Amino acid sequence: MEPHSDNAVTFHSRQAAEWEAGYSKRDFSVRFAILEDLLKAFNLTGQYWLDAGCGTGTLSRWFAEKKGCRVLGVDASSEMIANCSRVRGTEFKVVDDIYKLPFPDSFFDGVLCSSVLEYLDSPENALQEFCRVTRKGGLLLVSVPNSHFLTRLPVLTLYWLTKPLGRFRRFSFLDYSERAYSADS
């Protein structure tokens, strides 16, 4: 991993024990409704999916339980993987390099990558790798921060206003998450 990415991994590793609780908040829990809406036209039963940057495996478990997939969740943080709760159809492992995944070409039916690309030094290389390991006609689901001014301004304002508070500041993930994307990008 590159230095910037390593710092993001360390940042998230420190939060691993409390990460799952974040999904009880609207900011995270809305992801379930979005996934359900995006995937309503697809029958994923029996498919094999990669959850790249799985954290504690919340979305991996959702895919297994709600969509009938087998899911391999991978993360660079061994602390996140250690905090994964397993359900039938899920497995989890640490990967050191998201740009060079240890899987053959076309290995997965789909790849989920939620809130990871914004932390990487080369999102393009990660996307190329996800395409490599996804079978032809498979699905790639990626979530990234919205760069629209009106969406981003409140978050950035609170981040900068509370930054002097040190560990008590708001949105400290922005120390490592430097990218946001428009619909076009």
Side-chain angles (χ1 to χ4, degrees):
M1 298 286 279
E2 295 156 13
H4 181 80
S5 299
D6 282 344
N7 292 334
V9 171
T10 301
F11 169 78
H12 284 91
S13 292
R14 289 191 303 262
Q15 300 177 50
E18 294 85 31
W19 191 256
E20 197 72 28
Y23 280 88
S24 65
K25 298 176 183 166
R26 186 187 182 289
D27 290 352
F28 274 55
S29 67
V30 71
R31 295 172 189 203
F32 301 121
I34 292 168
L35 284 170
E36 189 65 50
D37 189 52
L38 287 171
L39 296 170
K40 65 183 168 195
F42 298 93
N43 180 359
L44 306 182
T45 304
Q47 290 191 1
Y48 191 37
W49 276 67
L50 175 68
D51 183 356
C54 68
T56 56
T58 308
L59 297 176
S60 298
R61 289 189 305 278
W62 184 89
F63 266 80
E65 294 175 329
K66 301 291 185 190
K67 294 298 172 184
C69 298
R70 293 179 304 121
V71 184
L72 173 60
V74 299
D75 204 287
S77 167
S78 58
E79 289 84 357
M80 285 289 193
I81 296 298
N83 280 277
C84 287
S85 297
R86 288 152 178 82
V87 297
R88 183 182 176 157
T90 61
E91 59 182 305
F92 300 98
K93 70 184 273 184
V94 175
V95 293
D96 294 326
D97 191 343
I98 202 164
Y99 306 122
K100 294 178 185 163
L101 295 169
F103 311 112
D105 295 352
S106 304
F107 195 65
F108 297 99
D109 295 298
V111 174
L112 170 67
C113 181
S114 180
S115 299
V116 173
L117 295 181
E118 60 267 28
Y119 295 99
L120 300 178
D121 293 318
S122 180
E124 299 83 5
N125 288 349
L127 288 169
Q128 287 175 353
E129 184 65 352
F130 299 155
C131 288
R132 181 189 70 77
V133 300
T134 304
R135 71 166 169 79
K136 185 176 180 176
L139 293 175
L140 172 60
L141 298 176
V142 177
S143 71
V144 292
N146 186 339
S147 68
H148 190 277
F149 177 74
L150 293 177
T151 302
R152 198 81 171 151
L153 183 62
V155 171
L156 291 174
T157 300
L158 280 172
Y159 169 74
W160 286 108
L161 288 175
T162 62
K163 193 166 184 168
L165 299 175
R167 68 184 186 112
F168 299 106
R169 70 187 185 275
R170 297 290 313 267
F171 306 116
S172 57
F173 66 90
L174 289 172
D175 289 348
Y176 309 99
S177 172
E178 297 179 357
R179 290 177 183 75
Y181 299 86
S182 68
D184 292 336
S185 66

